[in-house]
Amino acid sequence: IIVINLLLTLTAVPVLTLGAGLTATYDTSRRLQGEDDRGAARIFLASLRSNLGRATALWALVAPVGAAIVASWIFLPVPELAVLKTLFTLVFVLVFPYVWTVQARFENTVLRTLRNAVVIALARLPYTLGIAVIHLGIGAIIVATWNLLPQFLAFLLLLGYPLVVFGVTAMMERALAPYV
């Protein structure tokens, strides 16, 4: 997990390639948990190379949507928009992990990948909610560590987002099973 986090961090430095890094992270987690023994770095780099173009194009579409949602919460404190903003935020948070997993698993166009990610996330809603709970649970652990045991925060930061990805991989595989 630490090796993958370091590689993901390196791909996040040029923000443009973060989508490819996220795709490689989800793909590497799946392959390592599925008995692929080539090594985390080798799997990550191979996945990064094979997904670079499409995942970067996906990131170019997904990142502005996420930024717009965040900006709406910060700059539009209009109570009448709270329900709409909450709905958009919820859909984005539920679909976000599927975008990178679907990109790693299937050969599709960018728009087809986005469409499939939305359809799978909504069609397999119990799994999607389970994935969201795992994300929230690990987030709560990080916040609790920050507040109660700050000396262990460095360890959690060393594990980074790949810790969450490894936590959701089994559930993500179950969600995708009918489509594989």
Side-chain angles (χ1 to χ4, degrees):
I1 294 175
I2 293 170
V3 168
I4 296 169
N5 187 42
L6 292 172
L7 292 168
L8 177 61
T9 302
L10 289 174
T11 62
V13 170
V15 176
L16 184 66
T17 59
L18 183 55
L22 288 167
T23 301
T25 300
Y26 277 94
D27 192 32
T28 303
S29 174
R30 177 183 62 85
R31 291 177 188 273
L32 288 175
Q33 291 183 35
E35 306 296 326
D36 192 336
D37 61 354
R38 292 181 292 154
R42 182 171 283 151
I43 296 168
F44 185 95
L45 294 172
S47 180
L48 183 73
R49 276 190 300 276
S50 69
N51 290 298
L52 185 62
R54 285 194 186 114
T56 301
L58 280 168
W59 180 246
L61 295 173
V62 171
V65 171
I69 290 171
V70 170
S72 75
W73 283 103
I74 295 170
F75 300 114
L76 290 174
V78 179
E80 292 81 16
L81 293 177
V83 172
L84 190 59
K85 291 190 301 187
T86 301
L87 180 64
F88 278 115
T89 302
L90 184 63
V91 170
F92 184 83
V93 167
L94 294 177
V95 172
F96 186 80
Y98 283 96
V99 171
W100 315 115
T101 302
V102 169
Q103 172 56 40
R105 292 294 298 263
F106 304 104
E107 289 291 326
N108 282 313
T109 63
V110 171
L111 294 177
R112 173 86 51 181
T113 298
L114 283 174
R115 183 181 83 58
N116 288 345
V118 171
V119 167
I120 294 169
L122 297 176
R124 307 290 285 174
L125 195 56
Y127 293 107
T128 302
L129 293 175
I131 290 165
V133 166
I134 293 170
H135 275 82
L136 289 172
I138 292 176
I141 290 169
I142 291 169
V143 169
T145 301
W146 182 308
N147 290 326
L148 302 172
L149 300 166
Q151 63 271 25
F152 292 111
L153 190 59
F155 177 67
L156 286 176
L157 291 176
L158 197 57
L159 297 174
Y161 187 68
L163 174 65
V164 176
V165 174
F166 269 77
V168 301
T169 296
M171 195 164 293
M172 189 71 76
E173 286 301 298
R174 288 188 195 112
L176 292 176
Y179 308 104
V180 176

